[in-house]
Amino acid sequence: MLNARDRRDWPPEEGAAAGLQGFTVDKTFFSSLKGILLETELVFGIILASVFSYDAFKIYWTEMAPRATQGDQQ
């Protein structure tokens, strides 16, 4: 006889619904304190990455990019 333990060891069912089985969204999590902190951390991380990228571009532009010297301009 098959019982619940044997059924757990079977491979997951195939299909679109089986692929989404582990990706349900707990809507109460996002309204909890931990969810709000996670959202804030993600936004802060995006802003921080953007600032670092901009700063790296500006450093590259001022230090590494070829510039015209005064002799080349004449």
Side-chain angles (χ1 to χ4, degrees), residues 8-62:
R8 260 188 304 175
D9 297 334
W10 290 358
E13 297 176 10
E14 295 181 17
L20 298 175
Q21 192 173 15
F23 293 101
T24 58
V25 176
D26 184 14
K27 295 178 183 175
T28 58
F29 173 74
F30 291 114
S31 61
S32 69
L33 179 62
K34 287 184 180 181
I36 293 169
L37 290 174
L38 177 66
E39 292 170 14
T40 305
E41 182 180 346
L42 288 174
V43 171
F44 182 70
I46 291 170
I47 292 170
L48 196 61
S50 300
V51 168
F52 284 151
S53 298
Y54 177 77
D55 190 38
F57 174 74
K58 291 304 276 187
I59 289 172
Y60 169 76
W61 191 252
T62 57

